[in-house]
Amino acid sequence: MAEGYDVLLRDGGIAHVRPLRPGDRAALHELVDRSSERSAYLRFFTGGRNTAHAYMDRVTSDKYRGHALVAVMHERLVAVAEYIPMDDDRADLAILIDDAVHGHGLGTLLLEHVALDAAGHGVRELVAEVLAENRPMIRVLHDLGLPVGQRFEDGTLHVAITAEPTAGLREGIEARDHEAERASLARVLAPRSVAVIGASRDERAVGHKVLRNLLDGGFAGPVHPVNPNATEVAGLTCRPGVPAGVDLAVVAVPAAHVLEVARDCAKAGVAGLVVLSSGFAEAGQHGAEAELLQVCRSAGMRLIGPNCLGVVNTAVRLNASFLPHPPVRGRIALMSQSGAVGAALLDRLEVSAFVSVGNKADVSGNDLLEYWEDDDGTDVIALYLESFGNPRKFARIARRVTARKPVLLVKSGRSDAGDRAVRSHTAAAATPDVAVDALVRAAGVIRLDSVHDLIDTARLLASQPLPRGRRVAIGGNSGGPEAMAADACECRGLTVPELPPGLPAARPGAAMTNPVDLTADASAAEIGAALKALIASPHVDVILAVYTPPFGSGLEETRQAIAEAAMGADKTVLACVVGHDGLIGGRIPAYAFPEQAVEALAHVVGYAEGRRRPVPPLVLPAVDDRTAREIVRAELAAHPDGNWLSPATTARLLGCYGVPLVESIQVGGPRAAVQAARKVGLPVVLKAVGPVHKSDVGGVRLGLRTEEEVRRAYREMSGRIGEDMSGAIVQPMLAGGVEIIAGGVNYPAFGPLVMVGMGGVTADLLADRVFRVPPIADAAAMIDEMRCAPLLHGYRGSPPAAIDALAGLLVRIGRLLEDLPQVAELDLNPVMVTPGGATTVDARIRVVPCEPRPSPLLRRLR
């Protein structure tokens, strides 16, 4: 936070928010001088400007004990917001904004950030004194989405705001963030005018190709070629510099000249740059890319690239790229971090828009999701990513978008780089790719393994209604491919139900079973009749037509019959035309192989079910997070490089979150072990402290029934393990139950990840594990995904276990990991789940120093 961050305003402008510095004193006085008498009166009451100047001296002195944020736009300090803690959990709140930026949403944004920062520092209530006539400020305070109390006294309104993140605050921030993102990209992705900087008369040059694509694509707005060494290019008058007021500038000049061009565009008021030039971060020139971004941010320009292909918006006939083929208009919006992958996708898909983000210095998938969410011309969003810029923000945005439109993702880099040493079961299992899977699953995103899968799935989603269920009817002229399709359906969890008698026969002697095999000599008309009968059946949700050419009436006639049979159908219809991909009649997706069709269908069915599934209410447990933070702070003060917590400290920390632990007593020798056994009651369990995998080194002894057995077990264990054993713990022996492992990890970039799986000594062997990104609203569903879930529901006569108790434990673990990013690894293994509850038997927690994680609610550009 020391350097601050960039934020988007309501009108799409950009401001830089950072903490107040003592060196800001002169800029604060200038802010006061620019403020009108009216603004000074509303902020400082009767003291006006004189009081304001004196106050600015105080807030920049070394005696200032408040927390203040300032906002900078176009290199000028334009706002300051602060809270000053009182003796209790309350703090005074105040804000001053430059008259020139009123109405841009900056005040609301600063108050959001101040409220979140105050809550993070233990402030429970923000108090503001507002003149009754200051209606804009009163409205802003009430519109934040936080609980507000007020009382009126002597012409002044005393407003008290509860400084805790609430659902109302979250919804308000998301709505305002969405509005700002849309506004910031509107003039870039749907520009009224375009300048091509580096337009060349050489037809082989990138600048010439971009200009040619703009003209040939029929872009209706003004197009300005910019080249100081030419007077005319492609029949248009060439300019030496970019004209004022241009919405979009496409930059196709050598990297060495890009910064100069960007500064010229900033002076001309350009809304956004698309930098095609390479030679930046991808070539190791990170400093040059950072400077380019800084120029754009300071001027309020959005930046696409550098090192990209360009942008396309078929709705406004914009082809500001150097793609070799013109895009075909459709309903799929496509973003690619790889230019080669993007070009390949455009050759196979009909698109509403395409953005090649290249190095992704500024505009990313998060921004584009916000923009395309409300785009009437887009039904499906497809992303090819090589990296996440802000994964937690991606999950929050995508969760909202996928409730309306499917989002498809191909994420390269699945292998684990192994750049982090871990010692717990959970952390070893939670690889970065597992984290990505959990992240996108929580958001309802369809993750695909290949670009080919993306094409197949996007084509089906863009052309057909969502399936109502998993029942698939298969019919056509090819018994072998139909059987392969049926097998693929069963493998992917789709059903191929038996059809009831009474369906009209498509041809004499044909049995209308499922699959419906009309044999190789079936005519196009007979295949069409069979498909119509299947579409009309209430017993199926999806119809898969299978045809192997050139049999029957031939390829073209059969394709036409399939299209006519599906005309007006309100069910999902797709086809396998063996050896041929594409669209039939512009709306029926056809696949070359049966498995290919079923693979795409399975992804779409899963997405449709997820959209129909009601979202359970998120109920967060009451916890003692303040004590928990003190425990972690004290541990890191004693161990600055991080440490595994002692059993006693682990128990205290888990106790703050209501995680039940079996009674445990840490001991340092055989005599103390015997005394502990007397206290907890025999029989007992003895476990070594120190080794990670205790069972592997003889560090666990169960069912010790006498004091002598306890004494002997400790001595034997100490002799076998040696210096790695730093003591032991004694616990009562629990009877029965299902052994489950629960735990979590905290990634610096991805944030927390929670795991549940089969526990005990088989945890790694069986690898039966399920992951979720907290907060967890569907803990019961998470548990049911485990292969061992039947053991919890009552297997072969055993009583059902307390699944609700285990679900509650997972929710509490998620809350702990969210509150405490310093908790790098957490293992509860085993958790004994019985009919009476869920009790943790063994717990391990490792804490590490880390930077405070900014709230995912903060409206900030990455």
Side-chain angles (χ1 to χ4, degrees):
M1 177 66 183
E3 297 302 320
Y5 44 81
D6 297 311
V7 296
L8 281 176
L9 305 180
R10 180 186 301 138
D11 62 351
I14 298 174
H16 185 73
V17 175
R18 59 168 173 79
L20 176 71
R21 303 167 183 160
D24 291 325
R25 179 175 297 186
L28 288 172
H29 284 296
E30 291 173 6
L31 172 62
V32 171
D33 288 335
R34 293 195 305 273
S35 299
S36 65
E37 291 286 353
R38 174 71 175 167
S39 294
Y41 165 68
L42 292 176
R43 167 61 180 90
F44 295 98
F45 297 12
T46 55
R49 280 206 182 114
N50 290 332
T51 300
H53 281 297
Y55 189 77
M56 295 312 172
D57 288 333
R58 283 203 302 274
V59 300
T60 51
S61 73
D62 54 8
K63 296 181 181 180
Y64 179 66
R65 61 187 187 89
H67 300 255
L69 296 175
V70 298
V72 178
M73 294 180 66
H74 301 289
E75 301 182 349
R76 171 184 283 184
L77 194 153
V78 294
V80 56
E82 64 169 344
Y83 68 94
I84 303 176
M86 304 181 192
D87 294 335
D88 49 19
D89 292 343
R90 299 186 306 155
D92 278 326
L93 173 69
I95 186 170
L96 177 66
I97 300 178
D98 194 320
D99 292 5
V101 296
H102 283 180
H104 292 228
L106 180 58
T108 302
L109 186 144
L110 283 176
L111 289 174
E112 291 168 357
H113 290 220
V114 164
L116 291 169
D117 184 67
H121 283 86
V123 174
R124 303 301 183 196
E125 187 175 77
L126 293 167
V127 179
E129 294 188 358
V130 186
L131 290 173
E133 58 200 277
N134 193 353
R135 297 185 183 278
M137 184 62 178
I138 295 171
R139 185 169 57 251
V140 166
L141 293 173
H142 279 271
D143 288 347
L144 275 179
L146 292 171
V148 176
Q150 62 183 49
R151 61 183 175 84
F152 187 74
E153 183 179 319
D154 297 331
T156 302
L157 196 65
H158 299 266
V159 181
I161 304 169
T162 302
E164 292 183 3
T166 64
L169 176 65
R170 184 178 297 109
E171 291 168 3
I173 288 176
E174 287 194 5
R176 292 185 282 267
D177 200 15
H178 180 61
E179 179 184 3
E181 287 280 8
R182 289 276 304 170
S184 78
L185 290 178
R187 290 175 59 195
V188 182
L189 300 182
R192 295 163 298 184
S193 56
V194 180
V196 181
I197 303 175
S200 170
R201 289 173 296 216
D202 183 353
E203 295 183 359
R204 299 167 299 175
V206 168
H208 185 93
K209 292 176 181 177
V210 173
L211 185 63
R212 193 74 266 166
N213 280 344
L214 281 165
L215 299 177
D216 293 346
F219 179 67
V223 177
H224 306 285
V226 177
N227 186 336
N229 301 316
T231 57
E232 177 268 334
V233 178
L236 297 178
T237 301
C238 216
R239 297 171 178 264
V242 63
V246 166
D247 284 344
L248 176 64
V250 183
V251 181
V253 301
H257 300 292
V258 169
L259 281 173
E260 178 186 354
V261 167
R263 293 187 181 100
D264 290 343
C265 289
K267 293 175 184 176
V270 172
L273 299 186
V274 174
V275 178
L276 310 180
S277 317
S278 58
F280 289 88
E282 86 287 350
Q285 301 300 314
H286 298 279
E289 185 164 301
E291 190 174 356
L292 171 62
L293 179 61
Q294 180 59 39
V295 169
C296 292
R297 291 278 174 86
S298 297
M301 295 187 296
R302 297 308 305 265
L303 168 65
I304 295 176
N307 185 36
C308 70
L309 291 181
V311 298
V312 168
N313 183 347
T314 56
V316 296
R317 305 184 72 175
L318 172 76
N319 183 1
S321 76
F322 58 100
L323 291 162
H325 307 297
V328 178
R329 186 172 184 178
R331 310 287 301 177
I332 302 168
L334 173 65
M335 186 221 82
S336 178
Q337 200 169 342
S338 161
V341 170
L345 287 168
L346 280 179
D347 282 344
R348 300 288 303 279
L349 292 174
E350 298 173 345
V351 299
S352 58
F354 166 65
V355 177
S356 168
V357 294
N359 293 359
K360 214 170 53 166
D362 177 22
V363 173
S364 68
N366 294 349
D367 304 289
L368 295 169
L369 283 175
E370 296 269 22
Y371 185 81
W372 287 329
E373 178 182 1
D374 294 334
D375 181 26
D376 293 336
T378 296
D379 293 335
V380 180
I381 300 170
L383 310 174
Y384 174 82
L385 288 176
E386 296 170 354
S387 63
F388 281 105
N390 188 333
R392 301 176 80 210
K393 186 174 182 180
F394 172 86
R396 180 168 56 84
I397 298 168
R399 186 181 294 113
R400 185 185 71 238
V401 175
T402 55
R404 298 177 52 194
K405 298 178 180 181
V407 176
L408 283 65
L409 170 68
V410 173
K411 166 70 172 62
S412 61
R414 280 186 173 269
S415 60
D416 181 9
D419 59 352
R420 190 166 59 99
V422 296
R423 295 185 64 195
S424 66
H425 296 279
T426 305
T431 64
D433 192 61
V434 166
V436 172
D437 270 335
L439 185 85
V440 299
R441 174 173 182 155
V445 172
I446 304 172
R447 187 180 184 188
L448 303 155
D449 291 329
S450 69
V451 171
H452 196 277
D453 287 341
L454 185 147
I455 292 169
D456 289 344
T457 309
R459 192 173 280 158
L460 177 57
L461 284 164
S463 61
Q464 289 292 302
L466 291 177
R468 298 171 186 164
R470 291 181 165 261
R471 302 172 300 173
V472 183
I474 303 168
N477 75 336
S478 312
E482 288 176 64
M484 293 167 67
D487 289 344
C489 285
E490 295 294 338
C491 288
R492 291 304 309 264
L494 306 177
T495 60
V496 184
E498 292 186 14
L499 299 176
L503 287 176
R507 62 180 305 201
M512 294 296 284
T513 57
N514 194 12
V516 178
D517 182 11
L518 302 176
T519 72
D521 58 347
S523 68
E526 290 168 337
I527 291 174
L531 294 180
K532 286 182 179 179
L534 294 174
I535 290 169
S537 171
H539 304 287
V540 297
D541 307 300
V542 178
I543 294 84
L544 172 56
V546 178
Y547 171 67
T548 300
F551 303 107
S553 303
L555 178 60
E556 292 309 316
E557 193 170 335
T558 304
R559 284 167 54 94
Q560 184 176 348
I562 292 171
E564 291 175 353
M567 192 173 296
D570 61 352
K571 289 183 180 177
T572 307
V573 181
L574 67 163
C576 169
V577 179
V578 178
H580 297 267
D581 281 329
L583 283 173
I584 298 174
R587 65 176 302 268
I588 309 298
Y591 303 93
F593 302 102
E595 299 88 350
Q596 183 185 349
V598 173
E599 181 76 11
L601 177 61
H603 289 303
V604 173
V605 168
Y607 168 74
E609 288 179 341
R611 251 177 63 163
R612 289 192 298 267
R613 191 178 300 123
V615 179
L618 179 62
V619 180
L620 294 177
V623 300
D624 185 3
D625 56 320
R626 180 171 294 185
T627 300
R629 289 188 175 93
E630 291 173 357
I631 292 171
V632 171
R633 193 178 301 116
E635 185 69 24
L636 289 175
H639 304 279
D641 295 331
N643 192 42
W644 287 95
L645 302 186
S646 69
T649 306
T650 297
R652 287 178 57 218
L653 185 58
L654 291 175
C656 293
Y657 286 83
V659 175
L661 279 167
V662 68
E663 184 181 4
S664 301
I665 300 177
Q666 187 165 357
V667 297
R671 183 176 180 181
V674 169
Q675 293 173 342
R678 289 177 191 152
K679 183 175 181 180
V680 303
L682 294 163
V684 298
V685 178
L686 184 70
K687 297 178 181 177
V689 173
V692 177
H693 301 291
K694 300 178 181 66
S695 298
D696 294 351
V697 294
V700 177
R701 293 290 297 273
L702 307 175
L704 302 175
R705 299 184 175 277
T706 67
E707 293 182 6
E708 180 56 32
E709 287 183 6
V710 174
R711 184 180 295 108
R712 186 169 58 251
Y714 190 100
R715 288 171 177 161
E716 292 174 353
M717 191 180 292
S718 178
R720 183 181 300 112
I721 298 174
E723 294 181 356
D724 288 340
M725 179 172 164
S726 58
I729 59 172
V730 177
Q731 299 173 330
M733 184 74 187
L734 299 183
V738 180
E739 292 191 13
I740 294 294
I741 182 173
V745 295
N746 251 313
Y747 284 100
F750 281 93
L753 193 64
V754 174
M755 183 190 83
V756 66
M758 190 68 186
V761 296
T762 63
D764 294 326
L765 176 66
L766 299 180
D768 181 10
R769 302 179 279 239
V770 179
F771 294 86
R772 284 288 191 281
V773 174
I776 300 172
D778 61 341
M782 180 181 177
I783 294 166
D784 281 344
E785 286 183 27
M786 296 187 297
R787 297 192 302 275
C788 70
L791 295 176
L792 295 167
H793 287 285
Y795 187 67
R796 293 191 173 181
S798 62
I803 293 177
D804 288 349
L806 178 58
L809 182 144
L810 295 175
V811 173
R812 291 177 181 277
I813 290 174
R815 176 72 189 272
L816 184 154
L817 291 167
E818 281 198 295
D819 289 347
L820 306 172
Q822 301 91 342
V823 174
E825 304 177 52
L826 183 155
D827 249 2
L828 309 181
N829 183 34
V831 176
M832 301 301 295
V833 189
T834 66
T839 303
T840 301
V841 175
D842 198 4
R844 289 172 56 80
I845 295 177
R846 183 168 72 97
V847 296
V848 297
C850 69
E851 292 294 324
R853 187 162 56 215
S855 167
L857 297 179
L858 285 177
R859 282 198 279 156
R860 59 191 294 177
L861 289 162
R862 60 184 184 87

